[in-house]
Amino acid sequence: MLLKNRLQSKLPNVGTTIFTKMSALAEEHKALNLAQGFPEFDCSPELQRLVDKHVRSGKNQYAPMPGALPLREAISKQTFEASGSEYHPVTDITVTSGATEALFVAISTAVHPGDEVIVFEPAYDSYVPAIELSGGIPVFVTLDPQYDSIDWGAVKACITKKTRAIIINTPHNPTGKVWTASDLQTLAALAEAHDLIVISDEVYEYIVFDGRAHISVASIPSLAERSFVCGSFGKTFHTTGWKLGYCLAPAHFTAEFRKIHQFLVFSVVTPFQFAVAEYLSEPEHYLSLSAFYERKRDLFNDAIKDIGFIQKPSEGSFFQNVSYANLSDENDLALAERLTREIGVASIPVSAFYGRETDFKTLRFCFAKHDETLLKAAGLLNTARW
Ligand SMILES: Cc1ncc(COP(=O)(O)O)c(C=O)c1O
């Protein structure tokens, strides 16, 4: 009893995530799991061979704290080729335990108690707990999951003297929206005018559709100089289980970032860093990703097109949102659970990505699945009762 009184939760509002809940329900009902936000297929055999090579060649002790140098050099080259921005491997790039660690450390580095941080919701679920653990206050700009454009007026209205940082995510999970050049220019002007730190989550940077380009904050000098850019190899190489990511930031930001990174994990898994460094030398390995996923998006969308959902094709990421507002009034969580139980297809209710209770009557489906899984799931969705 005494012990119970002593331990006061630092995250009293955090419970079991919807991802864990939906995956458990999918497992229980042997449902096709389009809720899980990770690939159903394996990474390339070549990448597996490279890991094997580096494990056998003795790359099994601690990597340097900022990351294995060949990997930081490869990231620097890749970033320069993608966005023309120069990040020095020694001073500006840190290899992290997935983008989740990069985001957590960037937020911890930037946010002090009482600082306000602007978060666009729906949002990836790690941002808000990280802000709160630093004593910061999340300030939400709420977007409809089917939004057409960012309401910059609403963003401006949120800025106060206490606003320290803004978190952005493009391509976006869960909406599949990709920010335009104009969005980034507006962000740059706002960030400069209010001296904001930008934390940019770009884990889906190589998954953009219909000829769109991913525009990194790294490619806009006035943004790059005030930003932490967080990336992940998990999404790019179908290796989410490796938890290998990175953070790009100017040297003085990186120096502070590394002070926290070194006491959180010190360094991350060595042979995998060497393997990815080598694998990155062939740009086709990541430049082919958009076409790979665009075909899957189209396959899935085509197979569900007669159901009557309101569905705008995803612009990027491996998520497709559908609104069923014109088919049913059912609450999105209740519907996602019922579809899992009744027809055996699991999805994520998009309300789960909002800070407070909402119901936009929208479900998120992950199409990083085998074609057969997508077609089977679509077939079952066509039989559903709405
Ligand atoms: C938007 C977003 N950011 C960050 C992450 C986490 O990336 P990682 O697995 O590299 O930690 C995810 C994973 O789903 C994501 O969707």
Side-chain angles (χ1 to χ4, degrees):
M1 197 62 188
L2 257 179
L3 269 179
K4 197 176 167 203
N5 287 340
R6 280 183 198 192
L7 183 66
Q8 202 184 341
S9 177
K10 288 197 166 180
L11 295 171
N13 301 322
V14 171
T16 311
T17 71
I18 187 73
F19 310 99
T20 308
K21 276 188 206 152
M22 290 310 298
S23 286
L25 197 65
E27 182 72 35
E28 186 189 333
H29 294 277
K30 302 278 165 277
L32 298 171
N33 196 344
L34 273 59
Q36 290 174 337
F38 56 81
E40 189 183 14
F41 25 83
D42 213 348
C43 63
S44 93
E46 188 185 338
L47 190 49
Q48 295 177 23
R49 271 196 303 277
L50 287 170
V51 172
D52 188 53
K53 179 177 109 178
H54 288 292
V55 168
R56 286 172 197 275
S57 74
K59 299 273 191 325
N60 298 309
Q61 307 309 327
Y62 292 130
M65 179 273 280
L69 190 58
L71 180 55
R72 283 182 281 144
E73 286 170 343
I75 294 169
S76 176
K77 184 167 176 283
Q78 178 195 27
T79 307
F80 182 72
E81 282 163 6
S83 60
S85 23
E86 291 190 36
Y87 284 90
H88 196 284
V90 174
T91 53
D92 307 343
I93 299 174
T94 310
V95 179
T96 58
S97 181
T100 306
E101 195 230 337
L103 288 159
F104 188 87
V105 175
I107 291 168
S108 306
T109 304
V111 178
H112 292 256
D115 285 346
E116 293 177 359
V117 182
I118 297 178
V119 178
F120 292 92
E121 60 171 5
Y124 181 61
D125 61 351
S126 82
Y127 309 153
V128 169
I131 294 167
E132 290 177 343
L133 285 172
S134 279
I137 302 155
V139 175
F140 294 104
V141 174
T142 301
L143 302 168
D144 185 287
Q146 309 278 340
Y147 78 91
D148 281 320
S149 55
I150 303 279
D151 180 353
W152 285 105
V155 180
K156 281 181 199 153
C158 286
I159 298 177
T160 71
K161 285 201 179 69
K162 288 186 179 171
T163 311
R164 170 84 60 174
I166 180 164
I167 302 181
I168 72 159
N169 170 215
T170 178
H172 186 247
N173 175 13
T175 65
K177 290 289 285 187
V178 173
W179 276 32
T180 61
S182 151
D183 288 326
L184 284 149
Q185 292 302 344
T186 310
L187 174 70
L190 268 187
E192 216 167 351
H194 299 276
D195 198 17
L196 306 180
I197 294 169
V198 177
I199 297 165
S200 186
D201 178 348
E202 303 186 9
V203 301
Y204 299 102
E205 62 191 318
Y206 291 107
I207 314 179
V208 283
F209 307 134
D210 307 314
R212 282 184 185 80
H214 163 67
I215 306 171
S216 173
V217 304
S219 66
I220 299 172
S222 64
L223 272 175
E225 68 181 21
R226 55 177 66 252
S227 298
F228 293 95
V229 183
C230 303
S232 173
F233 296 110
K235 314 294 176 180
T236 305
F237 294 142
H238 315 319
T239 52
T240 57
W242 294 7
K243 292 302 288 184
L244 204 53
Y246 56 91
C247 180
L248 314 172
H252 62 294
F253 275 29
T254 295
E256 290 302 317
F257 179 98
R258 287 180 184 171
K259 287 183 188 173
I260 298 179
H261 163 77
Q262 70 180 336
F263 294 123
L264 191 60
V265 296
F266 183 71
S267 64
V268 307
V269 60
T270 311
F272 291 79
Q273 293 194 51
F274 282 95
V276 169
E278 258 189 84
Y279 197 66
L280 278 172
S281 66
E282 180 46 75
E284 192 51 25
H285 288 151
Y286 47 91
L287 296 180
S288 55
L289 203 59
S290 290
F292 173 82
Y293 277 123
E294 186 172 315
R295 196 191 59 76
K296 286 193 180 289
R297 178 203 64 175
D298 291 347
L299 183 82
F300 182 63
N301 278 351
D302 191 54
I304 60 171
K305 71 176 185 311
D306 294 332
I307 298 175
F309 292 136
I310 303 164
Q311 69 194 81
K312 291 187 194 164
S314 169
E315 297 176 356
S317 81
F318 43 53
F319 301 111
Q320 176 65 50
N321 283 267
V322 300
S323 161
Y324 58 87
N326 53 338
L327 298 176
S328 155
D329 231 9
E330 199 168 350
N331 166 277
D332 67 357
L333 175 60
L335 177 63
E337 289 178 348
R338 185 171 67 75
L339 290 177
T340 308
R341 281 194 309 270
E342 285 184 7
I343 64 160
V345 179
S347 58
I348 296 285
V350 168
S351 61
F353 293 85
Y354 289 82
R356 60 202 107 93
E357 214 163 292
T358 52
D359 179 10
F360 285 100
K361 314 247 172 270
T362 300
L363 300 177
R364 188 198 79 173
F365 292 96
C366 173
F367 53 82
K369 308 292 162 190
H370 291 300
D371 289 0
E372 310 85 79
T373 307
L374 294 174
L375 289 175
K376 206 166 158 197
L380 291 167
L381 285 167
N382 274 283
T383 66
R385 163 176 74 80
W386 302 102

